[in-house]
Amino acid sequence: MSQAQQTTPGDSREDGKTAIEQELARANVDNDPVAANQRLFTGGRNALIAILCVAYTVFHLLVMNVYPLETWAYRLTHVGGGLLLGFLLFGSTAFPDGTDATQQESIASKILLALAGAGILYGLLGVAAIWINGTILGERMPPQWAMSTFGIPLTLGTALAIVHGWIFPHHGRMRFAPGDVLLALAAVAFTAYLIFFARQLQLRAGMPMALPGDMWSAITGVLLIIELTRRLAGLALVIIASVFVAYAFAGPWLPGIFEHRGYDVKRFFSYIFTDNGVLGAPIAISSTYIILFVVFAAFLQTTRVGEYFVNLAFAAAGHRRGGPAKVAIFASGLMGMINGTSAGNVVATGSLTIPMMKKVGYRKQTSAAVEAAASTGGQIMPPIMGAGAFIMAEITGIPYMDIVYAAIIPAVIYFVSVYFMVDLAAKKANMKGLPRDELPKLAKLAKQIYLFLPIVVLIYALFAGYSVIRCGTLAMITAAVVSWLTPHRMGPRQLFQALDNGARMVLQLVAVCATAGIIVGVIALTGIGSRFSTVLLALADQSQILALFFAMVVSIILGMGMPTTAAYAVAASVIAPGVINLGVAPLTAHLFIFYFAVMSAITPPVALAAYAGSALAGSDPIRTSVESFKIGLAAFVVPYMFFYSPAMLLNGTWFEIGHIAVTAIIGVYLLSCAVQGWFFGHANPAVRIALAAGGLTMIAGGWITDGIGLAIAIALIAVQRGRVGASEFAHGSD
């Protein structure tokens, strides 16, 4: 039982805080990456990790704002630094807190480690010789021994270190695992080679002039990226990436549209590590916008400004019917928009909102599902959209602000729909809100409204036309400044912690974006994307709606088990060209694909956000994913709405825009009533079917279909009034 549940009106509260405020403060501590790391490492090791993390973050902020760096070197450093930190921070298997177990020692383990270490250290020595010869001695060509022999030992050593981690997992984290240290050194070696010697790899990528060293360094990089992705994001994305890599070599033996002439190892791997692959659009966004806004989220967390958002939501809505669920919609949507990961946001805000929802009467699986749906919805909420708007702008060339404007009404409709779902569920179960004495005081919090300034500054600067990087930086500075007016004033120590947290929070996205780059590179090299688009056109038989249906299915399947950024990047590369060739506007096509890639996080059977929520709620993961799918149902309808009605994307007159917004909200309300089985009282199966039909008729946005939907709604109101009785009807309309 949480502290909020144990507190009574007569309880004394620490520093005058309410139960909710104390619970939220505890949740922030529990989810603090620095505190978590201090439970794993001790002494100098913890300090070393913290210093490296801060250096990683500061490097990015300086390059983005003060001292621009050549793109090739910057993106490589972003990837290589992320790999270095990732292997030092995350072992090959999960490890319990507080364990002091040491690695299982055996002759086989020692032999494997020795061979891996010898190969990686020899590779490091070769890279050092190349750098010294070219940079210090000024020689045009590096030593022949270094160029001809360093790569094979480096790659073999890396492969052996990875295998060692699989066979002999390191359970204790009181010290660094030797195999993880070797992998971190391998990351340094391949990154240094590609930066200092292979600057012209872009010009010789995939060509006969590519050198053996280019190939072996690239292979090493791919192995490291795949392994870190396995550790941080699971096997789904790893399996997909491995299939694509295998496809690049198996083309000559494949049938139909999958056949291609194949590529040799040197050409393929030297091509993959260019801006057509690993260093392409996903990493371009990861190294700029994603890390910028993840660090901004870390600033909000460290300064407790993010905590204020949640407290304000509880003060305003916590006492209402099903209040904690309504709080989750606001708080999770806001933070999910910023931090760029659905499952991560579920863990961050759900540690408070899920217990509170259970307390007022929501079932375990419903509590987890509401949090998952709200956190996932943050990925489609402007102006940040969990970095989705930035990736879309990079891929399509559509101006960022055009994407933001277009996404406003669909996002609002989604969150209104989720609100309808939780409110109707609360009505159906006759729920109450939390006691007011357990909630933060709205009048007190209203005096601290200035804590919203970071968000206000961010939105104002974006719409005023400043660059996205400048906007994010101004928002970070504003978060630090407003913290000086609170007890959690940001000083040097808090600044260090925020920069440290930012690096830790972004590592998964670095690995995921790099892996997505591998997949995108294979698509570009083999041309499978264009051939798949041709098949899509043939199957759709010139039907746009059928092509969009196929696009929906493929986006959801690709997104299952994959973070949003990777899912959208891959789906856009494979599907978007075919949909656009059928005459669908590029912005509509990409937003359509993006929405379904995002919603794969709450789509059974593999729903990462729902699984994260179920772990916090103690509910069944599959049932939770089904429930989250139902709660987020509007997101599966809204993309078809803006396909039929471009005015929903602000492409039309103000009257058209207002018409489609109002009728869309009515439509999703009818759908919500159908899902929850409540329409001015309990709705029987026949009424629910009629409600669903009425809601779906309003998708097209035409006057006739809207009229049909409204007529159905009015008829059902009359039916319900007569069927459920005046008393229940009045209760249902509260």
Side-chain angles (χ1 to χ4, degrees), residues 555-579:
S555 297
I556 291 174
I557 292 174
L558 285 176
M560 287 183 180
M562 293 170 61
T564 302
T565 48
Y568 167 66
V570 175
S573 300
V574 174
I575 307 166
V579 175

Side-chain angles (χ1 to χ4, degrees), residues 229 233 237 240 282 290 340 379 386 391 395 508-517 519-520 523 555 558-573 593-594 597-598 600:
T229 302
L237 183 55
I240 292 173
I290 288 179
Q379 310 290 290
I391 297 177
I395 292 175
Q508 184 198 53
L509 292 171
V510 174
V512 162
C513 287
T515 304
I519 298 172
V520 172
I523 292 171
S555 297
L558 285 176
M560 287 183 180
M562 293 170 61
T564 302
T565 48
Y568 167 66
V570 175
S573 300
I593 291 167
F594 177 70
V598 167
S600 63

Side-chain angles (χ1 to χ4, degrees), residues 279-297:
L279 304 182
I283 280 296
I285 301 303
S286 170
S287 62
T288 49
Y289 306 132
I290 288 179
I291 191 169
L292 181 69
F293 285 102
V294 166
V295 174
F296 175 47

